[in-house]
Amino acid sequence: MLVGTMARLTDHLRARVELTLRMLERGSHAEFVDQILDTMICRAPHVTVARRDTVIRCLTRALNEMTADGKLKYRENTRRLLDHTVPSGGPVVRIPVLVATGEHDPLTTPALSREASARYADARFAMFKDADHLVHLERPVELIDLLLKFLADEPLTGLDYCHPVEYPVHRPPVPSPRTGGER
């Protein structure tokens, strides 16, 4: 099961993530925290996200309490994300895979997660209602329920916390003419 994943980093997301690094380097900590929140959490007031206020409070506190070591780890992990190139081709994953995200995820959007699920020969795609990127904090009981049903090979139907589970058609990665990597 992959939660909050994508097959590629869009130019828009790349720019947002790079901005967080620049803010961290400049010592603009308040702006860094705000940018992280905007990148990971749907803060639109007309959109319902379960436990949003609690998640924002906890994430804000964790970001404000980052140590020098924590900031170094953030830089290294973020740089690894930005530098990562997805190899084209390779063996097709044939075991069952479940890809899930929140319906309001601004980072690993439903479209990007759905695209990632289509890379697997035997995939399911689930979109949690009233959730964004932090599904594991917003809908933990429901996430565990979905995982247990998937692992037990039970039907993934009639789940009131998810939109109907999709079974994407497998599409192999396409090499990019510019870089030789995938599009």
Side-chain angles (χ1 to χ4, degrees), residues 83 88 95 112 122 132 138:
D83 293 344
S88 60
I95 61 168
L112 289 171
D122 186 10
D132 56 33
E138 297 154 347

Side-chain angles (χ1 to χ4, degrees), residues 21-152:
L21 286 175
R22 287 193 303 276
M23 290 174 168
L24 194 59
E25 294 303 321
R26 284 196 309 251
S28 305
H29 193 76
E31 291 85 0
F32 165 76
V33 170
D34 199 49
Q35 183 66 28
I36 293 287
L37 294 174
D38 280 345
T39 301
M40 298 178 76
I41 295 174
C42 175
R43 297 202 272 182
H46 64 281
V47 172
T48 300
V49 175
R51 303 178 68 203
R52 177 175 31 210
D53 292 342
T54 301
V55 170
I56 288 173
R57 191 171 49 255
C58 292
L59 185 55
T60 300
R61 181 176 178 183
L63 291 167
N64 281 329
E65 293 177 356
M66 282 179 84
T67 63
D69 186 53
K71 291 176 184 177
L72 177 62
K73 287 176 184 173
Y74 178 83
R75 281 186 200 95
E76 290 173 355
N77 289 334
T78 302
R79 187 53 47 209
R80 197 169 23 256
L81 170 69
L82 292 169
D83 293 344
H84 178 72
T85 57
V86 179
S88 60
V92 175
V93 174
R94 299 198 182 281
I95 61 168
V97 175
L98 172 60
V99 176
T101 193
E103 67 181 341
H104 305 296
D105 189 336
L107 181 59
T108 56
T109 64
L112 289 171
S113 292
R114 185 178 287 112
E115 180 183 320
S117 70
R119 300 165 71 81
Y120 303 103
D122 186 10
R124 294 115 181 98
F125 171 71
M127 189 168 37
F128 281 86
K129 295 177 182 176
D130 299 333
D132 56 33
H133 187 65
L134 300 170
V135 171
H136 62 289
L137 300 175
E138 297 154 347
R139 308 293 306 255
V141 172
E142 295 87 348
L143 179 65
I144 290 169
D145 181 65
L146 181 64
L147 176 61
L148 291 174
K149 287 180 184 321
F150 173 67
L151 293 174

